[in-house]
Amino acid sequence: MGKKAQFGSKIGLVAATVGSAVGLGNVWRFPAEAQANGGAAFLVVYIACVFLLGVPVMVSEFALGRAGRSDAVGAFKNLGASKPWWGVGALAVCASYMILCFYMVVAGWTIEYLWASLTRALYDIDTSASMESSFAGKMQDMIGGSYRPLVATYITILINICVLAVGVQKGIERLSNILMPVLFLVLLVMCGVSMSLDKAAEGLAYFLNPDFSKITPSVVLNALGQAFFSLSLGMGILITYSSYFPNSTKLTKTAVTVSLLDLLVAMMMGIIIFPAITSFGLQDANLEGTTLVFVTLPEVFNMMPWTRLWSTLFFLLLTVAAITSTISIAEVTVAFVSDRFRTSRIKACLITLMPLFVFSTVCSLSLGVWSGFRIADMNIFNLLDTVATNIILPVVSIGVCVYLGWVAPKNILQDEISNYGKAGRHPGYLIRIIIRYIAPALISLVLISYFLNV
Ligand code: PFF
């Protein structure tokens, strides 16, 4: 096997990590959740979760990956961890693969919508029915159909194979260096357009109107879950990516930069969505998840001049966010296969991604023709999402914190945060306290509250 791969530049490694963090969580989970749970009040709680807990846990994953210099399992093993501990890495690999099975399908939908916007087929609607029911019908075809979503999913898998097979620097880093500026540029243009609409101020007030009475303990735990999902924590992604960080990378600074940019994108999405829907009187429509993105926003675009342009730009944004996230999730298993079984990268890519043609097909069809097949009252798609993100993600995060905070030699975290004594002043002491006590306690509460609610 050759030398361990590395990112070639600081910008490249930040772009790749931001590419992983910025995904559908920022677009269809954050804005609606913030608006429904107290607007600016929720934002304060969310920002606290990101910086007081998300950043320290991110630094821990970075420290583990860079010190272990291997995949999510190998990093633990290289640090001398015994069995239950490298099992945490194995759980992360399993969870990321489970997520990959359905995230590929969702990324496929974004490609379908991008294509339908470009060709204007999306706006070819039955004018006798209401706009909402027309777009809902289209969504049913695009998401629940048995042929189109599959083709789009397969295209996503092929893009992943092409990028990942080329390698870390020439594949992941180069793609992120191109796509992240595109993403920010499109975001800026769309924010400008949305803010120039008639009722922009009203929309912003609707998004951010602070209501502290809505902040209950369960909203705080929700915000914490959303922060971890959005920052790609607890999936082995950051352990894997940081194994490609050079020794000179400042881990705390990188974690703060990535978290700030992820937050910025989530906020900009809110700034795009709420002025637009308020200006067109759609604030009472369903603003959750797929309906927001695939029904309500197309209604908005349809009422705007230059429908095709804005719709294409928006779905381009969504596709970029989704594809760069799928690549980071897939890299966890690609690195695992190539490091553990000492195979070439190309073989590891094929071993990881070829079975997804079958698994993603099952996930996609479980929303359409196979929707009758349910386990614990969930279709396969929702089951994978629930088990991976609600259960395994917090378990892995707790495992990483407890291992680095209590079990691993103390100098590992210290050395990595201080860049082997060269970083000058650093918040190592504070991070250690958070990952030893506060993070495991609060993440356990998220897990317990999930089980109590079920
Ligand atoms: N952070 C990305 C998002 O918010 O969509 C991608 C992602 C990573 C999703 C890890 C889910 C996950 F568990």
Side-chain angles (χ1 to χ4, degrees):
M1 281 227 321
K3 217 174 133 251
K4 178 83 188 158
Q6 272 199 357
F7 287 118
S9 69
K10 262 188 210 154
I11 294 196
L13 75 86
V14 170
T17 317
V18 171
S20 168
V22 171
L24 298 163
N26 303 58
V27 183
W28 71 40
R29 273 180 67 157
F30 176 84
E33 199 149 319
Q35 189 275 330
N37 291 316
F42 179 88
L43 199 62
V44 173
V45 175
Y46 184 76
I47 291 176
C49 290
V50 166
F51 290 100
L52 297 179
L53 287 167
V55 168
V57 175
M58 190 183 280
V59 171
S60 314
E61 289 204 21
F62 283 167
L64 191 60
R66 191 170 66 174
R69 285 263 179 246
S70 190
D71 63 287
V73 173
F76 281 93
K77 287 194 166 177
N78 286 352
L79 297 181
S82 54
K83 199 174 191 178
W85 296 111
W86 62 252
V88 171
L91 261 184
V93 176
C94 292
S96 64
Y97 202 77
M98 287 162 80
I99 292 187
L100 203 54
C101 297
F102 68 84
Y103 213 96
M104 285 291 186
V105 177
V106 182
W109 299 341
T110 66
I111 295 185
E112 266 186 280
Y113 270 81
L114 175 61
W115 180 248
S117 299
L118 259 177
T119 56
R120 233 190 169 281
L122 180 58
Y123 296 96
D124 226 347
I125 50 172
D126 173 7
T127 42
S128 62
S130 77
M131 238 201 312
E132 187 186 349
S133 64
S134 300
F135 284 115
K138 288 245 170 205
M139 180 171 86
Q140 198 46 40
D141 286 348
M142 309 262 262
I143 289 179
S146 47
Y147 140 78
R148 291 168 56 147
L150 287 183
V151 174
T153 303
Y154 299 157
I155 293 175
T156 318
I157 299 174
L158 287 174
I159 295 175
N160 269 263
I161 295 179
C162 296
V163 175
L164 289 165
V166 184
V168 173
Q169 228 179 74
K170 292 200 178 125
I172 301 175
E173 183 172 351
R174 199 194 291 166
L175 183 87
S176 311
N177 277 340
I178 299 169
L179 291 187
M180 282 302 108
V182 172
L183 181 122
F184 276 91
L185 191 73
V186 176
L187 266 173
L188 268 179
V189 171
M190 300 231 41
C191 275
V193 172
S194 207
M195 292 304 293
S196 66
L197 292 171
D198 283 352
K199 295 193 180 154
E202 215 175 289
L204 275 190
Y206 181 64
F207 173 33
L208 292 173
N209 176 34
D211 182 355
F212 282 91
S213 69
K214 288 208 172 142
I215 304 298
T216 59
S218 84
V219 167
V220 175
L221 295 180
N222 241 355
L224 188 61
Q226 166 68 14
F228 274 55
F229 182 92
S230 189
L231 295 174
S232 296
L233 296 170
M235 291 290 137
I237 295 173
L238 302 179
I239 301 178
T240 309
Y241 268 20
S242 57
S243 70
Y244 310 132
F245 285 6
N247 284 343
S248 56
T249 305
K250 293 196 174 122
L251 300 188
T252 313
K253 197 170 152 196
T254 306
V256 171
T257 310
V258 169
S259 304
L260 272 176
L261 289 172
D262 185 63
L263 180 67
L264 182 70
V265 174
M267 285 297 296
M268 287 169 96
M269 283 317 308
I271 292 173
I272 293 172
I273 290 169
F274 287 98
I277 57 171
T278 312
S279 296
F280 293 99
L282 290 171
Q283 59 273 39
D284 294 327
N286 184 342
L287 301 181
E288 289 288 346
T290 41
T291 314
L292 165 70
V293 172
F294 297 133
V295 178
T296 311
L297 288 180
E299 281 185 70
V300 168
F301 298 134
N302 199 31
M303 287 188 269
M304 285 172 74
W306 297 349
T307 299
R308 182 162 32 165
L309 175 68
W310 304 132
S311 178
T312 304
L313 279 182
F314 178 78
F315 287 109
L316 174 69
L317 189 78
L318 213 60
T319 305
V320 167
I323 294 281
T324 47
S325 291
T326 56
I327 283 169
S328 73
I329 306 172
E331 176 62 15
V332 176
T333 311
V334 171
F336 170 77
V337 173
S338 89
D339 286 5
R340 287 309 88 209
F341 303 104
R342 301 192 183 282
T343 52
S344 72
R345 213 180 145 81
I346 295 187
K347 256 197 206 154
C349 281
L350 295 177
I351 293 172
T352 302
L353 290 153
M354 294 307 268
L356 283 176
F357 283 105
V358 177
F359 299 146
S360 295
T361 302
V362 174
C363 276
S364 181
L365 295 181
S366 80
L367 296 174
V369 285
W370 291 346
S371 60
F373 181 74
R374 302 174 89 77
I375 301 170
D377 210 23
M378 282 181 267
N379 58 43
I380 302 280
F381 188 104
N382 293 339
L383 184 73
L384 288 174
D385 185 7
T386 305
V387 173
T389 55
N390 294 344
I391 302 172
I392 307 186
L393 187 153
V395 170
V396 171
S397 300
I398 296 170
V400 168
C401 291
V402 172
Y403 177 69
L404 267 187
W406 295 93
V407 183
K410 193 175 167 186
N411 67 311
I412 292 179
L413 187 63
Q414 189 70 15
D415 286 351
E416 293 300 325
I417 294 178
S418 71
N419 272 14
Y420 322 100
K422 291 191 204 114
R425 270 165 63 88
H426 60 81
Y429 182 70
L430 186 65
I431 289 180
R432 197 171 157 75
I433 303 253
I434 293 174
I435 70 155
R436 281 184 86 151
Y437 303 101
I438 305 172
L442 283 176
I443 304 167
S444 302
L445 276 183
V446 174
L447 197 59
I448 293 167
S449 80
Y450 172 73
F451 279 110
L452 292 182
N453 280 340
V454 166

